[in-house]
């Protein structure tokens, strides 16, 4: 084992399917046995959820990866869960074609429902004169988040600032919430996510006490031609619907069928008067200094692993550059094996994933490279080792910058 | 004969998808040197065209299908996109004996890096796991930490052949501006509307035609801006069509006021059509346009400069023609057939290198 691990994750009870979605989404478990003790409902949901996680995410969704260390700049001061006090319906609004069709209906029922959407969805609603109750900012990867940041330079998204609440993933870029008043901004906890915002929004809604969840503009293709790229989202939405008693309705007329989601057939939502505003059961989030301290500890713990990765990278480059001697190849094999073996320790996995935001070695911990590659093993070794080395350097650099400018 | 797999994110009618399709077509005209399979995570408008010139086309996003596909006995696997490389390349380099070539162009990652200096570390690591890394321009390559001996600069490719025979603009060409770009806020097309409104007094016949797909409702916003500026009749928004030769033939100058670009294909096509360009100095446009030679560079958002440079070209046909000729000469070097030959060479060398190492 490389390095001494002292950090342990605080594991909450896992009673419901939503708890389990969150726990799996941490990517902490390599196999279902590592999910820990499950309550009755969570245990019932586990086989299908794990099968979907294995099939569509290959046991690593990377939903919490923060390779840019944006968490350290996160402006949110609050964490907690959203509540629908009177159980009013929640409508999850995407920007698919059915939104346009359903906008008149949405306007008509606005007072009786809670609108939950993305920043783009909030803009689309604003164009129709509607304000969102909750805007969720979450990206599948940091690359997508960066694109949003660059997009923002050219297209400000004022509707997000006008939302009653803005929930953002702990590692969302701070610039995306510039101008959002601090009392409306929070990091969801629990955050049942596998990295796909509509499913996360549904999960947050299901946990809010609502009496129904409706999708609008989350079309995922058409009825005749479901979009294959959205298959993971469709599966996750279906599993969320399958493991709740809350009615789940799809108002995306013409969109792909989502098993478990009842297709809306009537003209209207079921309403009981005006909805009370959403509320936030909030508590202070870990302050910036606390996040900084955790990152410092993580960087220190990972130093031996980073050194081992640097040696692996050098060994991989030697083979890549043509040294195919037995010595060079054995050296590479041994060193890479050491990195792969580090994945046997859950705490190291958490540090590498949560602390460094590294993706490639974690994937090899789950789908080990093929030993039959022979000398070509330099390729996965270089890929994984390079990322680990550079991410560790980047974290140390980032922390030293923060030290200089508190 | 080699067997190559080319992995794309989609077969939609985007820049790299179109360019690579033209590279495949160019290879088809040569003596066969490889069987070309195409794997895309999503389909799109170019699917039939790809099926017509690739040996096989598979469209799937299911991880297990993807894994099965890349484990076929390929000599080389060529990744053309950041997102699909991020998802699939780690698996490929961990399980396939094929050589891997990772292409970096002005798509998501490259564009973000070029325009905003945001770096995403993991995609540099992907370069370290590849047998070769291709870049569109040396400017883009210099922004990455990649093993230098594995870096290949291909040059930005465009299918310019059909534009090279268009007659250059002359004194009888109407004072028309053409802008070919997706209708998106990033492109700052509203700046061009304002510029046209400023030119209107001096050049009552000035017109601008916007050609491009509209996925975000930007066309409606643009129409609104034109109404507001009182130049609705001078702004034509025609939507997407594949062949823009007719649009270029009727214009004296090409303009692109975008805030975010790599090296736009549409600009190279306009240059090949001997149209001088007035474009923003963003991304790596400077690598193919020298200010005052093939056209003019202006700062993004500087509507005054945009209007001024357009005026220069619209009122001075002789200068416009000279700059158009320079633009055409420059565009010839970016012919997709030339770039396809360079890419072929990279794929062949990577496959040979991987094969040597495998044999050892």
């Amino acid at each position: 084992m490389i390095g001494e691990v002292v950090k342990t994750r605080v594991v909450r009870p896992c009673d419901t399917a939503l708890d389990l979605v969150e726990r799996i989404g941490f990517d902490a478990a390599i196999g279902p046995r590592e999910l820990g003790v499950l309550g009755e409902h969570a245990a019932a949901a586990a086989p299908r959820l794990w099968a979907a996680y294995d099939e569509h995410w290959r046991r690593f969704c990377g939903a919490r990866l923060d390779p840019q260390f944006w968490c350290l700049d996160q402006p949110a001061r609050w964490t907690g869960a959203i509540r629908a006090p009177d159980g009013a319906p929640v409508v999850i609004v995407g920007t698919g074609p059915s939104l346009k069709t359903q906008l008149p209906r949405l306007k008509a029922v606005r007072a009786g429902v809670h609108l939950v959407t993305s920043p783009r969805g909030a803009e689309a609603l604003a164009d129709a004169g509607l304000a969102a109750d909750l805007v969720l900012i979450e990206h599948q990867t940091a690359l997508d988040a960066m694109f949003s940041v660059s997009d923002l330079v050219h297209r400000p998204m004022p509707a997000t600032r006008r939302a009653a609440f803005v929930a953002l993933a702990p590692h969302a870029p701070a610039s995306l919430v510039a101008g959002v008043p601090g009392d409306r901004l929070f990091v969801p906890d629990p955050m049942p996510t596998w990295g796909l915002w509509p499913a996360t929004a549904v999960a947050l809604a299901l946990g809010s006490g609502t009496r129904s969840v409706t999708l609008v503009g989350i079309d995922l293709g058409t009825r005749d031609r479901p979009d294959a790229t959205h298959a993971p989202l469709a599966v996750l939405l279906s599993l969320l619907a399958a493991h709740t008693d809350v009615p789940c309705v799809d108002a995306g007329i013409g969109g792909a069928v989502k098993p478990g989601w009842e297709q809306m057939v009537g003209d209207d939502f079921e309403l009981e008067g005006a909805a009370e505003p959403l509320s936030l059961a909030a508590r202070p989030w870990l302050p910036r200094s606390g996040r900084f301290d955790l990152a410092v500890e993580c960087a220190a713990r990972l130093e031996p692993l980073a050194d081992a990765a640097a040696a692996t990278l050098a060994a991989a480059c030697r083979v890549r550059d043509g040294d195919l001697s037995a010595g060079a190849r054995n050296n590479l094999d041994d060193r890479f094996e050491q990195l792969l073996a580090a994945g046997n320790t859950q705490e190291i996995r958490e540090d590498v994933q949560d602390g460094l935001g590294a993706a490639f070695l974690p994937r090899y911990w789950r789908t080990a490279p093929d030993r039959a590659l022979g000398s070509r093993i330099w390729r996965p070794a270089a890929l994984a080792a390079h990322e680990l080395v550079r991410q560790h350097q980047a974290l140390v650099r980032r922390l030293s910058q923060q030290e200089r400018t508190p | 004969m080699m067997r190559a797999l080319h992995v794309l994110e989609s077969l939609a009618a985007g820049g790299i998808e179109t360019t690579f399709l033209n590279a495949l077509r160019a290879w088809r005209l040569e003596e066969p040197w490889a069987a070309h399979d195409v794997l895309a995570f999503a389909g799109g408008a170019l699917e039939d065209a790809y099926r017509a010139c690739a040996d096989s086309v598979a469209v799937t996003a299911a991880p297990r299908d993807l894994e099965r596909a890349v484990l076929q006995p390929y000599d080389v696997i060529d990744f053309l996109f950041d997102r699909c490389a991020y998802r699939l390349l780690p698996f490929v380099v961990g399980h396939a004996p094929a050589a891997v070539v990772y292409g970096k162009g002005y798509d998501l990652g490259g564009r973000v890096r070029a325009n905003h200096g945001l770096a995403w570390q993991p995609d540099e690591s992907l370069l370290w796991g590849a047998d070769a890394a291709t870049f569109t321009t040396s400017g883009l390559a210099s922004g990455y930490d990649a093993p230098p001996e594995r870096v290949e600069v291909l040059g930005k490719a465009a299918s310019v052949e059909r534009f090279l025979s268009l007659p250059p603009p002359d004194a009888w060409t109407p004072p028309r501006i053409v802008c070919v770009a997706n209708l998106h806020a990033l492109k700052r097309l509203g700046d061009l509307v304002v510029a046209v409104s400023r030119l209107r007094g001096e050049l009552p016949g000035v017109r601008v035609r916007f050609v491009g797909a509209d996925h975000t409702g930007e066309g409606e916003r643009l129409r609104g801006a034109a109404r507001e500026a009182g130049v609705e009749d001078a702004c034509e928004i025609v939507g997407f069509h594949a062949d823009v030769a007719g649009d270029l033939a009727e214009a004296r100058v090409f303009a692109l006021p975008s805030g975010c670009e790599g090296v736009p294909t549409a600009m190279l096509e306009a240059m090949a059509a001997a149209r001088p360009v007035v474009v923003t100095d963003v991304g790596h446009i400077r690598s193919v346009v020298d200010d005052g030679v093939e056209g003019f560079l202006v700062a993004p958002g500087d509507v005054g400069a945009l209007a001024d440079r357009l005026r220069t070209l619209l009122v001075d046909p002789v200068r416009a023609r000279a700059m158009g000729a320079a633009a055409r000469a420059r565009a010839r070097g970016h012919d997709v057939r030339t770039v396809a030959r360079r890419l072929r060479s990279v794929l062949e060398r990577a496959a040979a290198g991987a094969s040597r190492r495998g044999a050892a």
Side-chain angles (χ1 to χ4, degrees):
Chain A
M1 191 180 83
I2 301 168
E4 188 184 342
V5 176
V6 292
K7 181 189 156 201
T8 51
R9 180 190 291 282
V10 178
V11 181
R12 281 197 293 238
C14 191
D15 296 326
T16 67
L18 283 181
D19 296 337
L20 185 58
V21 168
E22 183 186 42
R23 188 171 287 184
I24 291 175
F26 275 111
D27 290 325
I30 280 185
R33 284 185 184 177
E34 292 182 356
L35 290 173
V37 179
L38 306 180
E40 186 187 342
H41 295 292
R48 288 177 69 192
L49 280 172
W50 187 269
Y53 178 61
D54 184 26
E55 178 75 23
H56 293 281
W57 279 264
R58 308 301 282 130
R59 282 171 282 150
F60 187 71
C61 59
R64 292 163 197 274
L65 291 180
D66 185 12
Q68 303 295 122
F69 314 116
W70 278 321
C71 179
L72 297 173
D73 299 320
Q74 175 65 269
R77 287 180 285 122
W78 301 101
T79 186
I82 209 80
R83 297 279 176 241
D86 55 357
V90 173
V91 183
I92 313 292
V93 182
T95 53
S98 69
L99 174 61
K100 201 171 179 183
T101 316
Q102 292 285 27
L103 267 175
R105 184 178 291 182
L106 218 46
K107 277 182 176 177
V109 302
R110 173 67 187 96
V113 301
H114 301 298
L115 299 179
V116 176
T117 187
S118 65
R120 279 181 211 289
E123 293 304 318
L125 287 172
D127 287 346
L130 298 171
D133 294 298
L134 173 65
V135 172
L136 172 62
I137 300 178
E138 185 186 29
H139 297 86
Q140 204 172 351
T141 70
L143 183 63
D144 299 299
M146 262 183 212
F147 203 60
S148 287
V149 170
S150 80
D151 211 11
L152 210 59
V153 174
H154 307 281
R155 187 168 54 177
M157 298 209 173
T160 296
R161 293 201 289 271
R162 290 198 293 270
F165 290 107
V166 176
L168 76 169
H171 52 277
S175 52
L176 296 181
V177 289
V180 176
D183 58 334
R184 296 194 215 155
L185 189 63
F186 73 103
V187 171
D189 182 28
M191 175 83 168
T193 177
W194 291 8
L196 303 172
W197 82 263
T200 309
V202 168
L204 294 177
L206 291 174
S208 73
T210 182
R211 62 173 181 274
S212 73
V213 178
T214 300
L215 302 179
V216 172
I218 312 284
D219 298 328
L220 318 185
T222 63
R223 185 159 293 249
D224 300 333
R225 291 191 69 176
D227 186 339
T229 53
H230 292 308
L233 175 57
V235 165
L236 186 52
L237 288 173
S238 295
L239 287 170
L240 288 169
H243 292 287
T244 179
D245 296 330
V246 176
C248 293
V249 180
D250 183 8
I253 293 164
V257 172
K258 302 155 194 86
W261 288 78
E262 187 188 331
Q263 189 71 45
M264 180 177 271
V265 286
D267 285 338
D268 218 335
F269 296 84
E270 284 178 28
L271 298 175
E272 290 173 14
E276 274 186 45
L278 284 178
S279 64
L280 178 65
R283 58 187 185 283
W285 195 43
L286 189 63
R288 224 176 257 199
S289 59
R291 281 173 262 154
F292 179 83
D293 291 344
L294 283 178
V296 169
E297 288 165 19
C298 177
R301 279 196 302 271
L302 285 175
E303 219 169 290
L305 188 66
D307 289 343
T312 308
L313 180 59
C317 290
R318 216 173 127 192
V319 171
R320 182 198 68 190
D321 294 339
D323 184 351
L324 300 176
S325 64
R329 291 166 61 170
N330 290 340
N331 181 38
L332 171 58
D333 282 345
D334 291 347
R335 291 189 181 284
F336 193 27
E337 197 54 54
Q338 214 181 356
L339 291 189
L340 294 171
N344 295 332
T345 308
Q346 187 166 335
E347 289 80 1
I348 289 184
R349 292 204 302 266
E350 289 175 15
D351 270 347
V352 170
Q353 295 167 194
D354 303 347
L356 288 193
F360 302 135
L361 188 57
R363 291 186 197 185
Y364 293 132
W365 286 334
R366 288 153 175 89
T367 312
D370 185 354
R371 309 307 301 180
L373 285 172
S375 61
R376 285 176 287 213
I377 202 78
W378 73 264
R379 289 193 279 130
L383 170 63
H386 182 273
E387 186 190 33
L388 212 145
V389 169
R390 292 296 197 272
Q391 283 301 114
H392 190 262
Q393 288 170 346
L395 177 59
V396 170
R397 201 165 48 241
R398 176 72 184 76
L399 293 171
S400 70
Q401 280 166 359
Q402 187 137 337
E403 259 174 1
R404 285 197 298 273
T405 53
Chain B
M1 191 162 68
M2 267 176 58
R3 192 173 171 199
L5 176 68
H6 308 279
V7 186
L8 294 107
E9 205 160 286
S10 85
L11 301 179
I16 182 69
E17 295 90 343
T18 308
T19 302
F20 185 67
L21 176 65
N22 288 325
L24 272 180
R25 284 171 172 155
W27 288 335
R28 280 281 169 245
L29 298 175
E30 297 174 354
E31 194 179 325
W33 58 276
H36 299 284
D37 293 342
V38 169
L39 174 65
F41 286 16
L46 300 179
E47 194 168 332
D48 289 343
Y50 266 98
R51 288 192 189 282
C53 62
D55 290 87
S56 79
V57 175
V59 179
T60 178
R64 286 188 195 278
D65 289 347
L66 293 168
E67 290 169 9
R68 269 193 293 273
V70 298
L71 290 180
Q72 299 296 310
Y74 288 109
D75 298 292
V76 62
I77 301 178
D78 169 30
F79 283 90
L80 288 115
F81 268 101
D82 289 314
R83 276 200 190 116
C84 58
Y86 180 62
R87 278 181 60 187
L88 199 51
L89 192 139
F91 180 83
V92 169
V93 300
H95 294 86
V100 172
V101 173
Y102 178 27
K104 295 294 305 171
Y106 292 109
D107 296 296
L108 187 69
R111 204 141 45 93
V112 165
R113 211 175 260 260
N115 291 286
H116 305 287
L118 293 168
W120 190 50
Q121 174 58 46
D123 89 328
E124 293 193 337
S125 299
L126 289 168
L127 299 172
W128 283 72
D131 296 77
T134 66
F135 288 86
T136 301
T137 65
S138 52
L140 185 63
S142 68
Y144 284 83
D145 163 34
E149 67 284 3
R150 311 242 147 197
V151 168
E152 307 275 355
V153 176
L154 297 178
K156 167 75 183 186
S159 193
V160 297
E161 189 188 9
R162 66 185 190 281
F163 300 101
L164 292 170
S165 56
L166 279 184
D170 54 29
W172 289 274
T173 309
R176 197 167 283 169
I177 303 159
V178 65
C179 173
V180 183
N182 283 328
L183 306 187
H184 190 284
L186 286 171
K187 306 287 181 181
R188 301 187 63 99
L189 302 179
D191 289 355
L192 194 47
V193 171
V194 177
V196 166
S197 75
R198 292 191 186 176
L199 294 172
R200 195 76 183 279
E202 195 180 334
L203 294 163
V206 68
R207 296 275 186 283
V208 59
R209 177 181 289 177
F210 294 98
V211 183
D214 181 4
H215 301 296
T216 62
E218 187 66 13
E220 210 38 60
R221 282 189 278 277
L222 213 50
R223 282 189 189 90
R227 264 194 305 276
E228 209 169 287
V231 289
E232 201 175 1
D233 58 322
C235 297
E236 192 186 0
I237 301 168
V238 296
F240 171 78
H241 47 254
D243 189 359
V244 295
D247 304 290
L248 289 168
E250 292 171 10
R252 198 180 287 180
V253 55
F254 173 90
L256 184 61
S258 180
C260 182
E261 290 295 333
V263 176
T265 303
M267 182 188 75
L268 282 171
E269 291 172 348
M271 290 168 71
R275 264 61 193 170
V277 299
V278 180
V279 290
T280 36
D281 188 8
V282 294
H284 292 124
I285 286 180
R286 197 174 265 275
S287 71
V288 289
V289 177
D290 289 324
D291 188 31
V293 180
E294 294 87 4
F296 293 110
L297 297 171
V298 298
D302 187 346
V303 181
L306 179 67
D308 180 63
R309 304 303 187 275
L310 286 169
R311 180 189 297 108
T312 300
L313 292 170
L314 292 171
V315 302
D316 186 349
V318 175
R319 189 163 185 194
R321 196 179 167 92
M323 282 188 163
R328 174 168 277 175
R330 192 89 183 247
R332 282 182 201 275
H334 294 273
D335 191 318
V336 70
R337 293 165 297 184
T338 309
V339 176
R341 276 195 288 276
R342 290 185 202 129
L343 177 58
R344 169 186 168 170
S345 164
V346 174
L347 296 174
E348 286 178 329
R349 273 185 282 128
S355 169
R356 268 198 307 279
R357 268 192 297 275

